[in-house]
Amino acid sequence: MGGKAPLDMKVNKVLWILLFIAVINSMGFGIIIPLILSYGKKFGVNKEILGILTASFSIAQFFATPVLGTLSDRIGRKWILAFSLLGSCASFILFGLANSLFLLFAARILDGITGGNISVAQAMVSDMSSEKDRAKNFGLLGSAFGFGYVIGPAAGGLLNKLGDRVPFFFAAAMALLGMVLTLLFLKETSSDKTRKENKKNKLFDFGALISVLKIPAIGASVFMGFLLTTAQFAMLIGFQTFCAEKLKLSPVQTGLFYAGFGVSGILMQLLVPWISKLISSKPWILLASTVLCATAMAWCGLTAGLFGFALGIGIYGLFNGLRNPMLNAIIADRMDDKQRGLVMGVNQSYASIGQTIGPLLASAAALLSLPAIFFVSAALIVWGLFYGWRLKQEAH
């Protein structure tokens, strides 16, 4: 016991520095996202072009993130995380200086190409965590990213009063600060031996986007995460439309409502250590939470009033918060130490595509009716349950 204390203290120190960097990174991202449409209108951005602009980031990230993950396996997590933050800084500056639609697209594509922040951070958490602590530490990382996403829009709204370009330059400063902190204080988590062995391998084989799905437990986890991410981003379209058209909420009221949704997920992620002690099986936690999320989405499709809708969104927000900590911990428990960056990169690639497909499916469902959006989201979650059951079976 006495010999373990210094190691535990070192791990905790690295983890808390990484969590602080995650808050800074996600806060910068949260600042700009709600402002893109209003800022881009003078360059010709409308709701249709906004969808393409958002998709350009996700598609670039789909192809780039596994490459960045592989590089982190070869040269180290710290340097790739710093590079990703530098790329975000440059993209925010380019967005703030933009004078054409072309530069807006260039900025979002640049951010997508260098957007390995989340997957590299997840690989670092996996490196430093024991199997017992992984779900807890992934929950803390998710809470850190979530906290930044929640406070970012509020900060962006305040900064926008100083000038419509100010929030983008502030977001750039946040990314730059994160890069400096990474270089100065964050310790490398991958071993020298692992990095040397990975240098012998190819930089990246895009066939890994398919081959990873064939790995027992990991493939089911990655695809389940893709389905649940797609469901969430479909739900977000329904959420915004329901608040505006049915509940007649103002943008400020909708923003506060959404903040409540985000906070509920953060709180649940902070409870992951307690939940993991109560229920030791990660697949069982995942299955139970997914059933509740599907039920909540179906309820949102059936309800018409504020109280009922808030109840459904609240239950969904709470139990959706368990998704990433459990899935990432299951993936990390089963993956080869030499391929952590690669696998986490592929996982993030599928999440980025889910972020694109979800709104498209929601838009198609909206042609039928507003409730249809929530039923589509529920159907995707139910589909995900099939892979959750596979994970439970493979755990034995």
Side-chain angles (χ1 to χ4, degrees):
M1 291 290 290
K4 273 193 169 184
L7 178 60
D8 291 341
M9 289 176 65
K10 183 178 179 181
V11 167
N12 287 336
K13 182 180 177 182
V14 174
L15 177 62
W16 285 110
I17 292 171
L18 181 61
L19 294 179
F20 183 65
I21 292 168
V23 171
I24 291 173
N25 176 37
S26 59
M27 181 181 173
F29 190 76
I31 283 171
I32 74 156
I33 293 304
L35 301 174
I36 290 178
L37 179 58
S38 59
Y39 176 75
K41 280 182 178 178
K42 55 187 167 185
F43 306 120
V45 175
N46 53 31
K47 289 182 180 179
E48 290 74 24
I49 292 177
L50 177 63
I52 301 171
L53 188 60
T54 303
S56 69
F57 168 85
S58 298
I59 292 169
Q61 190 179 57
F62 176 78
F63 290 105
T65 305
V67 176
L68 292 174
T70 304
L71 281 171
S72 80
D73 288 332
R74 293 179 63 171
I75 66 176
R77 320 284 188 221
K78 174 178 176 175
W79 301 108
I80 299 302
L81 182 58
F83 168 76
S84 295
L85 290 165
L86 180 62
S88 293
C89 175
S91 72
F92 294 153
I93 291 173
L94 183 59
F95 213 90
L97 294 175
N99 55 14
S100 67
L101 187 61
F102 171 80
L103 287 180
L104 295 185
F105 271 94
R108 296 311 294 143
I109 291 170
L110 173 61
D111 202 18
I113 290 172
T114 60
N117 315 26
I118 295 177
S119 59
V120 174
Q122 289 170 344
M124 295 184 85
V125 167
S126 180
D127 287 340
M128 71 178 76
S129 304
S130 65
E131 185 174 340
K132 177 183 175 183
D133 292 332
R134 277 196 181 117
K136 176 191 73 175
N137 291 343
F138 277 121
L140 290 172
L141 182 66
S143 296
F145 276 114
F147 181 69
Y149 290 137
V150 167
I151 63 174
L158 293 173
L159 290 166
N160 196 52
K161 294 180 179 179
L162 302 176
D164 61 355
R165 297 177 188 268
V166 172
F168 301 101
F169 295 134
F170 184 82
M174 289 290 97
L176 184 61
L177 174 60
M179 186 195 73
V180 171
L181 291 174
T182 298
L183 293 174
L184 292 181
F185 299 108
L186 200 60
K187 302 295 183 182
E188 179 56 54
T189 58
S190 63
S191 67
D192 292 336
K193 180 182 177 182
T194 299
R195 294 197 301 275
K196 286 178 182 177
E197 289 176 351
N198 277 311
K199 285 180 180 177
K200 302 172 186 176
N201 301 329
K202 290 197 302 183
L203 177 60
F204 184 68
D205 178 4
F206 280 99
L209 292 167
I210 302 300
S211 62
V212 165
L213 295 180
K214 299 177 182 178
I215 304 174
I218 290 178
S221 298
V222 169
F223 198 74
M224 185 179 184
F226 160 73
L227 291 171
L228 298 185
T229 299
T230 306
Q232 178 181 342
F233 277 78
M235 179 279 298
L236 289 175
I237 299 299
F239 174 87
Q240 295 174 57
T241 308
F242 193 93
C243 287
E245 295 184 2
K246 292 291 184 181
L247 302 180
K248 307 298 183 184
L249 299 182
S250 69
V252 173
Q253 290 171 324
T254 301
L256 290 173
F257 198 170
Y258 180 74
F261 164 77
V263 169
S264 65
I266 293 171
L267 292 175
M268 184 58 85
Q269 287 172 333
L270 292 174
L271 290 174
V272 165
W274 180 80
I275 295 170
S276 296
K277 286 182 181 178
L278 191 66
I279 306 172
S280 60
S281 169
K282 298 182 187 80
W284 268 120
I285 296 173
L286 189 60
L287 274 173
S289 60
T290 304
V291 167
L292 288 166
C293 285
T295 304
M297 281 297 93
W299 173 260
C300 286
L302 294 170
T303 191
L306 174 59
F307 177 78
F309 186 68
L311 178 64
I313 290 295
I315 293 172
Y316 175 82
L318 275 172
F319 292 98
N320 187 56
L322 291 173
R323 176 191 57 179
N324 283 333
M326 293 303 136
L327 284 172
N328 288 333
I330 291 170
I331 291 170
D333 290 346
R334 298 297 188 94
M335 73 173 67
D336 185 333
D337 291 352
K338 299 176 185 177
Q339 294 185 310
R340 279 183 177 147
L342 168 64
V343 173
M344 286 301 185
V346 169
N347 185 41
Q348 188 58 36
S349 286
Y350 280 101
S352 68
I353 291 301
Q355 293 168 14
T356 302
I357 294 175
L360 295 176
L361 288 176
S363 297
L367 296 175
L368 298 175
S369 68
L370 178 52
I373 299 175
F374 299 106
F375 292 131
V376 165
S377 181
L380 288 165
I381 297 171
V382 170
W383 187 5
L385 277 172
F386 168 75
Y387 292 92
W389 184 255
R390 275 182 53 184
L391 287 173
K392 178 190 169 297
Q393 298 298 101
E394 291 172 357
H396 295 292

